[in-house]
Amino acid sequence: LFHHYGTVLVLVVCGPLSKMIRTATRRILLPTHRRWSRHTPTIQECLSNRQMSTSSSAGGNDTLPADESFPTTLPGISSSPIDQQSGLDATAETALKIAEEVAAFDPTWWPSDQALLLLNYINGLDVFPCYAYAIGATTIAFRTLLFPLFVKAQRNSSRMAHMQPELTALKDQLDRLGDKVDQAQQQKYMMQTRALFKKYDCNPLSSLIAPLASAPIFMSMFFGLKNGVDIFPALFETGGIYWFTDLSAPDPYGIMPVLSACTFLAMTETGKEQMMASDPNRGKMMLNLFRGLAVIMVPITWNFNSAVFVYWVTNNTWSLGQTVLLKQPSVKKALGIWDPPKPVPGKESKGLFNDIANAFKSKEQETNALAAEKVKAHNQIIEQQKRVHKEILDREGIRKGKGRRKK
């Protein structure tokens, strides 16, 4: 849930607040000066390279005739051929702007700043042709490192799904005792619960490790790429690929928002068996909620910059492949992941609207039962007051009778 649109709703609402906090933190905290140990070209180096390129092109007249030029086309600059000299000037000018932006970046320990530092380091390795590839490679690296945690979480969830009927029976047995539950019975219930967890080799906290570990990474990458447009405009404007050459701008054709929603929906449909394993009724409601979110988030995120969608699409595609992989019988057997349990007779879900109606009916029954308990308690108090009053009157009558005898 932390990976995808459930967190995105929180991020969209808290985005302006996070930017204010980040600005205040930048003013208060000292710079980290931690540049991930890479060589960043200085302005002087860019200017010298520019002069060298200009001189080399000027001295190359013995190779090319004076009245001819080598036609080249730079993506994102012009669709018509331009000469080699103007192409070198445009490249040097872009490199100069990027170098100035990198030199002016004064990061703090704020997680989004550290995410940008890591992305700039990977982009500066000269392994990938543009910034979009660096974003994708960083996303895959993070998901690879988190893969063992997701396997452990799914293994734990599959076992808890098999344990759920026995745990529910224990809880119902304790609830039937009502107010008669004493400390000894509570201790017995706790011991039986621990024995169940030991029997199925699971722990309720183990399923939370993967979301808690991935949430900071997701938020850091999201805010870093969202705010990076203002910090490195030249780097983002020239870092795109295919039809979205400008990472600082929204997708001009709207393909990335739709693709992100489709990959999320495909991931939800692929993993719905695990979602409904422990509680079919609640799982189906969550499934329908995620389906609706996949549709709603398309217009909400339509104007997000393309850099954010590069991260989301890569992340969702990896999650989809991971879900498909962990559904294979041989992989599940090797990793100790159990098949979903068969539904308990009489507990099958009969549809979303029926589940909602049953929920309202259960709530109404609980309210009526609570009202009946209040009336019963009130009547008991009245009866007790009557008994006390009667006892007082009887004692007063006895005293009066004894007084008359003495007289």
Side-chain angles (χ1 to χ4, degrees), residues 37-214:
S37 303
R38 75 177 181 90
H39 173 66
T40 302
T42 61
I43 299 177
Q44 290 78 8
E45 291 176 351
C46 290
L47 288 174
S48 62
N49 292 337
R50 182 178 181 182
Q51 292 174 358
M52 291 176 60
S53 63
T54 305
S55 60
S56 62
S57 61
N61 289 334
D62 2 345
T63 307
L64 291 176
D67 56 344
E68 294 182 5
S69 61
F70 183 76
T72 58
T73 302
L74 296 180
I77 296 179
S78 176
S79 58
S80 58
I82 57 178
D83 61 352
Q84 186 178 10
Q85 178 62 42
S86 60
L88 290 173
D89 290 343
T91 304
E93 188 68 27
T94 303
L96 178 62
K97 289 182 181 179
I98 294 175
E100 290 175 348
E101 293 168 359
V102 173
F105 183 41
D106 196 11
T108 65
W109 286 109
W110 193 254
S112 59
D113 287 354
Q114 298 301 313
L116 284 175
L117 283 178
L118 177 60
L119 288 172
N120 291 345
Y121 169 74
I122 295 177
N123 184 60
L125 295 176
D126 296 331
V127 177
F128 305 106
C130 63
Y131 206 72
Y133 285 99
I135 297 173
T138 306
T139 305
I140 293 174
F142 276 133
R143 292 307 304 270
T144 304
L145 292 175
L146 293 174
F147 181 73
L149 297 181
F150 281 97
V151 171
K152 184 176 181 180
Q154 188 160 345
R155 175 181 178 275
N156 186 77
S157 299
S158 66
R159 293 167 184 263
M160 287 192 65
H162 283 266
M163 186 198 67
Q164 191 65 32
E166 297 184 40
L167 186 63
T168 304
L170 279 179
K171 188 176 180 299
D172 293 341
Q173 184 180 358
L174 188 67
D175 291 340
R176 282 195 295 268
L177 296 176
D179 299 334
K180 299 178 181 180
V181 178
D182 54 10
Q183 188 174 0
Q185 290 173 332
Q186 289 180 351
Q187 290 179 352
K188 181 181 178 182
Y189 171 75
M190 293 298 297
M191 291 178 62
Q192 290 175 336
T193 304
R194 291 175 184 172
L196 271 181
F197 282 114
K198 186 176 180 180
K199 173 185 175 182
Y200 287 93
D201 190 18
C202 59
N203 191 318
L205 299 179
S206 297
S207 299
L208 301 176
I209 295 177
L212 290 178
S214 58

Side-chain angles (χ1 to χ4, degrees), residues 232-271:
F232 307 111
L235 182 60
F236 276 69
E237 287 172 3
T238 58
I241 53 176
Y242 303 127
W243 68 92
F244 53 97
T245 56
D246 186 358
L247 293 179
S248 64
D251 188 342
Y253 303 106
I255 298 176
M256 295 295 281
V258 176
L259 184 60
S260 177
C262 289
T263 52
F264 176 78
L265 184 61
M267 179 186 60
T268 303
E269 294 295 334
T270 306

